[in-house]
Amino acid sequence: MTVYVRSLETAVPPTMLVQTEARDVFAAQPGLSRLGSRLVNTCFDSAAIDTRYTAVEEMTMDFRVDDPQFFDPATGLLLNPSTKVRNEIFGREATKLFIDAARAAVDACPDLDLLDITHLITVSCTGFFNPGPDYKIVRALGLDPAVQRYHLGFMGCYAAFPALRAAKSFCEADPQAVVLVVCAELCSLHVRTSNDPDTIMGSALFADGAAAAVVTSREVPDAPALLQLDHFETVLTPVGEESMAWNIGDHGFEMVLGNYVPHIIDDHIVGALAPLLAHDPSVQGLPYRGIRHWAIHPGGRSILDKVQSRLQLTDQQLVPARETLRKYGNMSSATVLFVLKNILEQPPEDGDERICSMAFGPGLTVETGLFTKLRQAAGGRAAPAEPAQEQTEGQAAAESALA
C-alpha cells in the first residue's frame, strides 16, 4: 500500500532574531571570559545563519516589559529564568505554533473533512505540559474527540522521522486512516549566557518553529499528493553516546553537542545510509546518482559540510538544507520538514525525483527516509518530477567551533 503526504506546512513565531545583533548581545555579557567572548563571535559568525525566529518577544532590543525574564534591553543583560518559568512560556507559546501549523496543514487539504482525521501525532523536545499539544489541537481545530492521539517527546532533532514512520504504519494498517503529524519546538527558551562551548553553540544555532503534515493512503485525483513515503530506517552509530545529549537543568534544558559530532557523522554516514538505500536498486554506491534530492537536517554548518563531502553531493543538492539553516536556524525536530518543503516548492521537471532525507540526534541516532516527490500528470495521476535547482549561498569563511 502506498502512503502519501497530502500537505506539508510550516509556521514560525513573529519575532525575528538577526544573527549579527544576537551575536553582539551575547558577546557583551559581563560574565564571559576572554576565551568565551572569542567563542561567541566565532560560533555566531561561522554558523551560516542570517536570521532565526523566537517565541520570546523580549529577546529583541525593541521590546519593553516592566519585569523582563530573559533579556533586559535597558542594561543589555541576558537573564537566567528557572526551568519552571521557561516551561510555562512553552505551554503558552508552543500551543500557538502547534495549532497554527496543524490548521495550515488541514486547510491545505480542502477535500478532507476535519472529522476524517483518525490519528494525531505531536512531537516536541523543548517543553512539557498536560493536557498536552495533542489535546490542544483537537479542541482548537474541532477534531473528532475520539481521534487517536500520540505524543513523541524529548527525542531531539530526528523525531519527525519516527512520527512519519508511525503515520505510515497507521495508514498501512487502515486504508481509511488520515494522520495529522505536528512538530513544534521552542529551542530559544533554553538559551543563556555561558562560557561553556556547548551552550554557546546552542545559542548560536537554535531557534523556534513548527511544521505539520497530513498523511494518508487515500488517493484523490482532484487533489494529488505532494510526497510518497517509501521507506524509513534507524541506525545507532557505534560511538557518540556522550557527544550529543539533551538534559534538564535548573535553568532550562542543557544541550551537549561535542565538537566530535561532525567527525562521527563523517565516519559513519555511509554505513548508516546502507540499510535505507538497499531498498532502491537504482542506487549503486557513491556517488549516489540515483537520488536527485537530499533533505538533510541542518544540525550545523559543519555537519552539512561533512555530509556533503562524504556523500559527494553537489552544492545544488545542499541548497534546501543550507537555505533552511540560513533563514531559520536549527529548529530541532521541525527543521527537516522545512527542508522537505523547500524541495517540494521547487518547480518540477521531467525525470526521477527521489529524495533521501536524514536527521541526527542524541545517541548518536541517525534517522533516514526515502521519499518520492509527486506532481499531477495528465489524467490526474501522480508522476515523479524534478525541481529546478538554485545557486548555493556563499558560506562563512571562518571555521565553526565544531569543525
Side-chain angles (χ1 to χ4, degrees):
M1 180 179 297
T2 304
V3 179
Y4 305 99
V5 171
R6 288 287 311 282
S7 67
L8 177 57
E9 300 295 330
T10 59
V12 293
T15 301
M16 177 189 287
L17 295 177
V18 177
Q19 184 78 344
T20 54
E21 295 175 358
R23 175 204 62 202
D24 293 344
V25 168
F26 276 84
Q29 297 308 299
L32 284 179
S33 65
R34 184 175 301 178
L35 175 59
S37 181
R38 288 204 304 270
L39 281 174
V40 167
N41 284 285
T42 299
C43 290
F44 276 75
D45 289 345
S46 64
I49 295 171
D50 290 345
T51 55
R52 293 177 282 166
Y53 291 84
T54 177
V56 185
E57 289 183 294
E58 65 179 70
M59 303 245 337
T60 62
M61 296 296 295
D62 297 331
F63 189 82
R64 293 292 188 272
V65 63
D66 292 337
D67 184 22
Q69 295 176 308
F70 283 82
F71 177 62
D72 184 356
T75 62
L77 292 178
L78 289 165
L79 308 178
N80 196 19
S82 68
T83 301
K84 180 178 186 294
V85 169
R86 298 174 196 259
N87 197 63
E88 287 174 346
I89 296 173
F90 176 86
R92 181 180 69 248
E93 299 300 328
T95 296
K96 298 176 185 177
L97 277 184
F98 270 111
I99 292 171
D100 286 349
R103 180 173 285 118
V106 172
D107 288 347
C109 300
D111 57 290
L112 289 176
D113 188 273
L114 287 171
L115 297 181
D116 288 336
I117 295 174
T118 58
H119 300 71
L120 171 62
I121 304 172
T122 54
V123 178
S124 189
C125 69
T126 48
F128 304 93
F129 61 93
N130 202 2
D134 51 322
Y135 174 92
K136 300 291 187 181
I137 291 171
V138 169
R139 291 303 192 194
L141 270 62
L143 304 184
D144 186 342
V147 65
Q148 296 185 38
R149 295 156 32 212
Y150 303 87
H151 181 71
L152 302 183
F154 221 64
M155 297 184 78
C157 294
Y158 63 80
F161 285 91
L164 290 174
R165 185 170 59 238
K168 184 173 185 288
S169 296
F170 291 146
C171 294
E172 289 171 338
D174 177 6
Q176 294 304 308
V178 178
V179 187
L180 176 59
V181 176
V182 193
C183 303
E185 305 284 7
L186 267 57
C187 305
S188 71
L189 283 177
H190 304 291
V191 302
R192 57 192 176 277
T193 183
S194 174
N195 286 299
D196 175 68
D198 289 348
T199 303
I200 292 172
M201 180 54 65
S203 299
L205 286 176
F206 283 107
D208 303 347
V214 172
V215 179
T216 184
S217 63
R218 297 185 187 183
E219 294 193 38
V220 182
D222 294 333
L226 301 175
L227 194 69
Q228 178 177 304
L229 300 181
D230 298 320
H231 192 73
F232 294 92
E233 288 286 348
T234 302
V235 171
L236 300 180
T237 61
V239 295
E241 181 177 349
E242 304 300 324
S243 296
M244 187 182 293
W246 190 229
N247 302 310
I248 299 177
D250 292 334
H251 296 277
F253 298 173
E254 299 170 351
M255 181 193 68
V256 176
L257 188 59
N259 59 9
Y260 198 60
V261 168
H263 302 285
I264 296 173
I265 293 173
D266 185 34
D267 289 341
H268 298 285
I269 189 63
V270 173
L273 278 173
L276 179 79
L277 298 184
H279 291 265
D280 189 340
S282 69
V283 180
Q284 302 292 326
L286 285 169
Y288 299 120
R289 300 301 186 199
I291 303 221
R292 191 178 299 272
H293 306 292
W294 293 80
I296 302 166
H297 168 69
R301 182 192 58 80
S302 296
I303 289 175
L304 292 180
D305 289 347
K306 292 292 187 183
V307 170
Q308 180 176 3
S309 175
R310 177 62 67 181
L311 301 185
Q312 301 177 33
L313 304 180
T314 67
D315 287 347
Q316 290 178 334
Q317 289 173 311
L318 266 290
V319 165
R322 294 197 191 276
E323 280 290 287
T324 299
L325 182 65
R326 183 177 68 84
K327 295 178 180 179
Y328 300 103
N330 183 341
M331 300 165 286
S332 192
S333 67
T335 320
V336 73
L337 299 180
F338 276 68
V339 179
L340 279 169
K341 184 173 175 62
N342 183 296
I343 292 173
L344 293 174
E345 289 177 343
Q346 302 306 316
E349 295 180 1
D350 293 332
D352 190 21
E353 184 117 19
R354 298 289 272 166
I355 302 172
C356 182
S357 187
M358 67 187 75
F360 319 98
L364 184 71
T365 302
V366 182
E367 287 277 355
T368 57
L370 197 60
F371 313 130
T372 304
K373 180 180 173 181
L374 305 172
R375 67 180 174 91
Q376 190 171 11
R381 298 176 58 193
E386 174 192 7
Q389 304 286 356
E390 301 176 8
Q391 294 298 314
T392 187
E393 294 287 331
Q395 297 182 38
E399 278 295 316
S400 168
L402 291 183

